[in-house]
Amino acid sequence: MGLNPFPAPGPADLVLVRADRLAEHPDAHATIGAVLHLTGAVPGLAGLREHVTAHLDELPCLTHVLTGNGPTAQWMPADPDLTWHIRAQHVDGEPRALEAAVRLALREPWPEQVPAWRMILLHGHVPDGSALLYLTHHAVQDGANIGTVLDTLFGPRPLPQFPAPARAGLRRTARSAVSLLRHARRHRLWQSAAHPLSSRRHLLWAQAPSAGLRAAARAGGTSVNDVYLATVVHAITQWAEDAWPHATTTTIPVMVPVNVRTPDEVAAPGNRLFLTRIDLPGGTMPVDRRLARTAAVTSVLKSAGHKAVLRAALTRLPRRLLQLLVDASTVPGRLTVCASYLVVRRPLHYGEAAVHRIDPIMCCPPGVPLAVAATTYEDTTSVSFRIDTALPGADSIPERWRRALTELTRSAPPPSTL
């Protein structure tokens, strides 16, 4: 057997495995994924298995398992059993039946020594269509990796090319280091004797037209990701006025994953991201002002040089030092809201069945109060909210997010037709 071509699992991968052991309920396990809503006839299960099998050589994240722990951890090849990994399930046609099926599937444990992914073809909930539920463990795949899997299996050929990473000079490295250290302090925003955090989770979705986010970004001179982050924080502060007063008078610390994958790592197992904290504007203010202040904070995340520093931290720091940094960022008092954003730029389909919407699925490990993931695909941006049920009334946050976005887009001018 040849040498394993992939580096050993990193501290972030191992932390996510350890988080599952700490979870008191499977709702807090680190399972992530997506629901692909398909139009047309329900695909055949045998053909789907053959289709995935034909692409396995391109997707090592589907053919490797994480073994061992700590210094002995490594990625080992393992042959998937497609009769287990890909199955079909009939769903009742009543409202919310599809969401109930997804919630149940999320609680299924991952067998040992089996690649941690599965596809479930859900059908029966709509008269002309189906849904493909794709799930994986976050220790094995991150959001960018899921995007690569979906693009490889269901996107047009050839696959898109990813730019090579930039290099960072000493001055950029120093500025990035100062920024990381400044955001490393404890905030204790989510520690409450009256409402201690739990391992039970809401799983909720909210959708909005992608054109609205783009219009708000144009009007504010910001990115769509800025619009997304600003409206999420606006929703949190609106909820907190009655339920969590401390979050209305301070900044809201948010952990944002920065993708640092190189072109040769797009399908490699494990996380290739740096979870970095930014402090977004809290308090009471109009949502357009919050957007402007958010854009000023997120500017560092858009810097190619800053990404190069984060990439170097993941690949060049001594493993023990990197482990200490990851451990320090995941202690009580530092964990906080997590928010990620993914754009699927190319149309997806399987045979004659076209994907018309993608609903992301985010995980929310123990100690994290709220995790949010947005996916923009064609005309719709869908947001997944995983919320600790210990936060009183926090299941109202998705609707508050929709209202914040509506308020922000109402004053945005229509795009020019010239």
Side-chain angles (χ1 to χ4, degrees), residues 31 43 71 74 79 84 91 134 143 150 168 184 231 234 238 247 264 333 366 376:
T31 297
Q74 58 182 322
D79 293 328
W84 180 88
V91 179
Y134 177 74
L150 299 183
T231 49
H234 197 77
Q238 294 285 300
D264 59 333
T376 291

Side-chain angles (χ1 to χ4, degrees), residues 32 37 42 66 79 175 184 203 205 216 291 320 360 395 415:
I32 59 175
H37 298 268
V42 179
L66 192 159
D79 293 328
R175 288 202 301 267
L203 172 58
W205 286 276
L291 173 59
R320 181 169 177 78
D395 55 344

Side-chain angles (χ1 to χ4, degrees), residues 152-164:
T152 300
L153 295 179
F154 307 116
R157 313 296 282 191
L159 293 175
Q161 297 296 311
F162 293 87

Side-chain angles (χ1 to χ4, degrees), residues 355-394:
V355 177
H356 65 86
R357 194 178 87 212
I358 300 176
D359 292 330
I361 299 173
M362 186 60 160
C363 68
C364 189
V368 175
L370 165 66
V372 192
T375 296
T376 291
Y377 174 72
E378 295 193 334
D379 297 333
T380 303
T381 294
S382 182
V383 185
S384 165
F385 295 83
R386 297 301 299 271
I387 307 171
D388 192 328
T389 59
L391 303 182

Side-chain angles (χ1 to χ4, degrees), residues 330-355:
T330 55
V331 299
R334 287 197 178 98
L335 289 171
T336 187
V337 175
C338 296
S340 64
Y341 178 60
L342 177 69
V343 180
V344 178
R345 303 186 184 280
R346 308 197 307 164
L348 306 182
H349 68 93
Y350 172 63
E352 298 299 318
V355 177

Side-chain angles (χ1 to χ4, degrees), residues 11-298:
D13 305 328
L14 301 180
V15 162
L16 289 164
V17 172
R18 187 167 70 238
D20 278 7
R21 295 196 293 266
L22 297 175
E24 297 176 353
H25 190 275
D27 278 0
H29 287 171
T31 297
I32 59 175
V35 183
L36 278 63
H37 298 268
L38 305 172
T39 59
V42 179
L45 193 59
L48 180 60
R49 287 170 175 160
E50 291 177 4
H51 176 75
V52 174
T53 299
H55 291 281
L56 285 177
D57 288 345
E58 303 171 69
L59 298 167
C61 57
L62 302 186
T63 60
H64 282 73
V65 297
L66 192 159
T67 64
N69 194 17
T72 65
Q74 58 182 322
W75 296 110
M76 294 298 295
D79 293 328
D81 177 1
L82 275 296
T83 59
W84 180 88
H85 284 282
I86 302 177
R87 68 176 191 261
Q89 178 181 332
H90 184 270
V91 179
D92 292 335
E94 60 192 46
R96 305 294 183 184
L98 178 64
E99 293 183 10
V102 171
R103 290 187 181 95
L104 286 176
L106 278 168
R107 294 175 179 173
E108 293 183 31
W110 296 104
E112 294 184 3
Q113 305 305 314
V114 173
W117 64 274
R118 61 171 69 98
M119 289 184 184
I120 306 176
L121 183 61
L122 302 168
H123 59 92
H125 56 288
V126 290
D128 183 27
S130 57
L132 186 62
L133 173 61
Y134 177 74
L135 297 176
T136 185
H137 196 282
H138 205 334
V140 182
Q141 296 179 40
D142 54 27
N145 216 337
I146 290 176
T148 295
V149 170
L150 299 183
D151 209 13
T152 300
L153 295 179
F154 307 116
R157 313 296 282 191
L159 293 175
Q161 297 296 311
F162 293 87
R167 289 180 173 270
L170 290 177
R171 184 175 297 179
R172 175 70 264 179
T173 300
R175 288 202 301 267
S176 295
V178 169
S179 175
L180 293 173
L181 291 173
R182 186 171 65 248
H183 292 107
R185 65 188 185 280
R186 295 189 187 221
H187 51 80
R188 298 185 174 88
L189 181 62
W190 305 106
Q191 293 181 316
S192 168
H195 302 287
L197 298 181
S198 73
S199 287
R200 298 299 298 263
R201 303 287 183 261
H202 297 294
L203 172 58
L204 303 166
W205 286 276
Q207 289 84 30
S210 301
L213 281 87
R214 290 192 288 267
R218 283 193 303 269
T222 70
S223 69
V224 172
N225 189 39
D226 291 334
V227 172
Y228 160 62
L229 290 173
T231 49
V232 166
V233 170
H234 197 77
I236 291 173
T237 57
Q238 294 285 300
W239 157 77
E241 286 184 3
D242 297 321
W244 212 272
H246 183 44
T248 63
T249 58
T250 185
T251 58
I252 306 296
V254 178
M255 302 300 291
V256 178
V258 178
N259 178 23
V260 295
R261 283 183 184 268
T262 57
D264 59 333
E265 295 174 339
V266 290
N271 287 266
R272 301 294 195 281
L273 57 82
F274 196 104
L275 197 61
T276 186
R277 173 180 150 189
I278 54 177
D279 290 344
L280 296 181
T284 301
M285 67 183 72
V287 66
D288 56 346
R289 184 188 305 170
R290 197 182 307 278
L291 173 59
R293 293 180 59 183
T294 295
V297 174
T298 60

